[in-house]
Amino acid sequence: MDRCIVLVDAGYLLGAAASLLAGEPSRSRITVDHTALIQGLRERAESDTEQPLLRIYWFDGAPDRVPQPEHRRLRVMPRVTVRLGALTRSDGRWAQKGVDAAMHAELTELARNRACSDVVLVTGDGDLLPGMMAAKEHGVAVHLWAVQAADGDYNQSEDLVAEADERRVLDRAWITQAVRAKELTGVCAPPPVPRPEIAAILSAPLPESALAAAPERSPEEVPHPAAPRPNDTGAPAAAHKGVPTPKDLAALRAPGSQPERQPPSATLRWSSDKGWVDRPGASSEPPEVAAMPTLAQLTTAEQRWADREEDITTVGGDPYEVGQVFARRWLARLGEQVQFQGLSGMYPRIPHRIDGELLRYAARFGLLAHKDDQIDEHDRYAIRAGFWREIDVRTGAERTPAAE
């Protein structure tokens, strides 16, 4: 049929773009505007082949084949189909498994069924050579696209280049319409500025009631961090005196300890890349807040099905958006059952049971997973900031981030 199809090896496209713009093939070094990238691929394919686009197939790897946020955004775009292979770690490096085989199978099946007259391949892997030859035998014109190599040399299999009917190089000017490096080198864009809502959560003081409930400690009992790290607002995190550590609380609750020594409302001190953070325990929650039902308790079987349908078709997977969606559903099903003043007064903390459910919900979208061997704490703050945004809309509260 007189139409074109684009098959994209995302590992090749984005890895080569990272090499070109950031000097190394790590995709964590670049930011991608997927909407602009898909639109650019469509326009270029229709221009080169002089045929209307049928579909773009996006082939990528994911841990356990679980769609990541970028895959969720892509698969709800018009004329885009996402195919996922496995992503495994070996010798300290990530490697895709099954992506080449999936591309080969799709290419040969489309050609055999005469689903298109032209196929655009964005890949550099020579393993696709048999599939390319089979497509040509079925009368399909094969266009091979390359990303401009950082060193000016080929970054594709020479056999693949020789077998293609047409070849085009996506140069730096075309790539930078949708891809930017994260560091300021050459054409790179500046790092993204943290959302004001996230900065507000990081800088918000703890509730006075929680701080007042913390037991007093002598100065020599208070641990002193060597160098408190600044938080996202640029200000060093405050270290409150008189706050027990988890080790202290464990000793107080050990068998044989005096019951009167146990604090009525424990406040824990945690250290992270955001600095020292004091978090009151669940017992400090107001009774009306602690008794709030979870989203799962408020959701019927029909609503659960509708929620899953919405998650699959319309929720892109941005951390801030995920927090908003969860809070919107929870508030809608709570109705007028509870007063929200106690909940709003707990800011920036979320009730323990609700927070756990929120983070489990976010995990469905691939958030909170290990990224470059570290848990992305920024995602956690963004998820909770989205949650509080919806609470503020309901209660009419206004929150402003602390001054830089």
Side-chain angles (χ1 to χ4, degrees):
M1 299 184 68
D2 293 336
R3 51 193 180 185
C4 67
I5 290 176
V6 181
L7 305 182
V8 180
D9 180 350
Y12 166 77
L13 174 60
L14 300 182
S19 295
L20 178 64
L21 301 181
E24 58 181 88
S26 174
R27 289 163 62 172
S28 63
R29 293 289 307 277
I30 57 174
T31 57
V32 183
D33 182 343
H34 290 93
T35 301
L37 181 59
I38 293 299
Q39 183 62 27
L41 289 170
R42 178 172 186 167
E43 292 175 354
R44 177 59 62 89
E46 291 181 336
S47 173
D48 281 10
T49 65
E50 299 181 350
Q51 302 294 344
L53 176 77
L54 172 62
R55 190 175 298 116
I56 294 175
Y57 288 89
W58 185 272
F59 295 87
D60 203 0
D64 298 323
R65 290 184 167 87
V66 176
Q68 302 300 295
E70 65 180 275
H71 304 139
R72 302 185 70 92
R73 288 191 291 270
L74 284 163
R75 68 183 185 180
V76 296
M77 293 181 183
R79 302 298 182 103
V80 176
T81 296
V82 176
R83 297 279 189 259
L84 294 180
L87 193 62
T88 60
R89 192 167 182 81
S90 177
D91 297 328
R93 300 183 63 182
W94 290 101
Q96 296 182 157
K97 299 294 183 182
V99 172
D100 296 336
M103 288 189 70
H104 178 277
E106 199 74 56
L107 175 59
T108 54
E109 189 70 14
L110 291 170
R112 184 182 301 113
N113 293 327
R114 301 187 183 278
C116 58
S117 60
D118 296 76
V119 168
V120 175
L121 292 178
V122 187
T123 184
D125 199 327
D127 290 345
L128 279 177
L129 183 61
M132 177 186 288
M133 297 172 64
K136 293 174 63 176
E137 291 173 359
H138 284 90
V140 174
V142 180
H143 304 251
L144 182 65
W145 288 1
V147 175
Q148 178 182 339
D151 55 7
D153 200 355
Y154 285 109
N155 54 13
Q156 290 178 305
S157 162
E158 292 190 17
D159 292 336
L160 207 62
V161 171
E163 191 67 29
D165 294 309
E166 302 283 348
R167 184 172 184 264
R168 175 177 290 278
V169 175
L170 304 175
D171 59 16
R172 180 186 293 267
W174 190 92
I175 292 294
T176 53
Q177 293 176 14
V179 183
R180 294 288 188 274
K182 289 184 178 178
E183 296 179 357
L184 286 172
T185 55
V187 298
C188 305
V193 178
R195 287 180 182 270
E197 298 88 346
I198 301 175
I201 283 186
L202 294 175
S203 61
L206 292 169
E208 294 181 2
S209 59
L211 291 176
E216 292 295 332
R217 303 173 66 192
S218 61
E220 59 271 14
E221 295 177 321
V222 179
H224 296 278
R229 301 174 185 175
N231 57 26
D232 279 358
T233 63
H240 298 282
K241 291 187 177 182
V243 180
T245 65
K247 181 178 179 181
D248 298 329
L249 294 177
L252 289 175
R253 294 172 179 172
S257 62
Q258 297 297 325
E260 60 271 13
R261 292 181 59 199
Q262 182 170 340
S265 178
T267 301
L268 306 183
R269 166 174 291 171
W270 303 85
S271 176
S272 73
D273 60 349
K274 304 299 179 184
W276 289 91
V277 181
D278 299 329
R279 298 175 182 172
S283 59
S284 65
E285 295 177 358
E288 66 274 14
V289 172
M292 285 183 170
T294 63
L295 177 61
Q297 293 171 332
L298 298 168
T299 303
T300 66
E302 292 79 6
Q303 288 172 326
R304 188 174 299 110
W305 182 89
D307 292 346
R308 192 61 176 165
E309 180 75 9
E310 181 183 9
D311 290 344
I312 293 173
T313 58
T314 62
V315 181
D318 174 77
Y320 188 79
E321 177 193 14
V322 166
Q324 287 183 298
V325 170
F326 179 92
R328 193 177 304 128
R329 291 174 184 168
W330 184 58
L331 293 174
R333 290 163 197 174
L334 275 175
E336 301 299 330
Q337 299 179 32
V338 295
Q339 299 294 323
F340 292 98
Q341 284 73 16
L343 176 64
S344 186
M346 290 185 61
Y347 180 88
R349 293 169 51 241
I350 298 174
H352 179 70
R353 292 192 306 151
I354 307 302
D355 189 50
E357 189 179 37
L358 169 62
L359 296 180
R360 287 192 296 274
Y361 172 68
R364 297 181 189 175
F365 297 87
L367 302 172
L368 311 180
H370 289 270
K371 300 176 181 179
D372 296 330
D373 295 329
Q374 294 184 355
I375 295 177
D376 195 332
E377 285 292 321
H378 189 271
D379 282 355
R380 293 178 182 267
Y381 288 107
I383 293 163
R384 289 163 175 152
F387 176 91
W388 278 114
R389 175 57 183 164
E390 289 301 313
I391 300 296
D392 293 346
V393 170
R394 178 68 173 264
T395 61
E398 293 290 339
R399 309 194 192 278
T400 56
E404 294 291 336

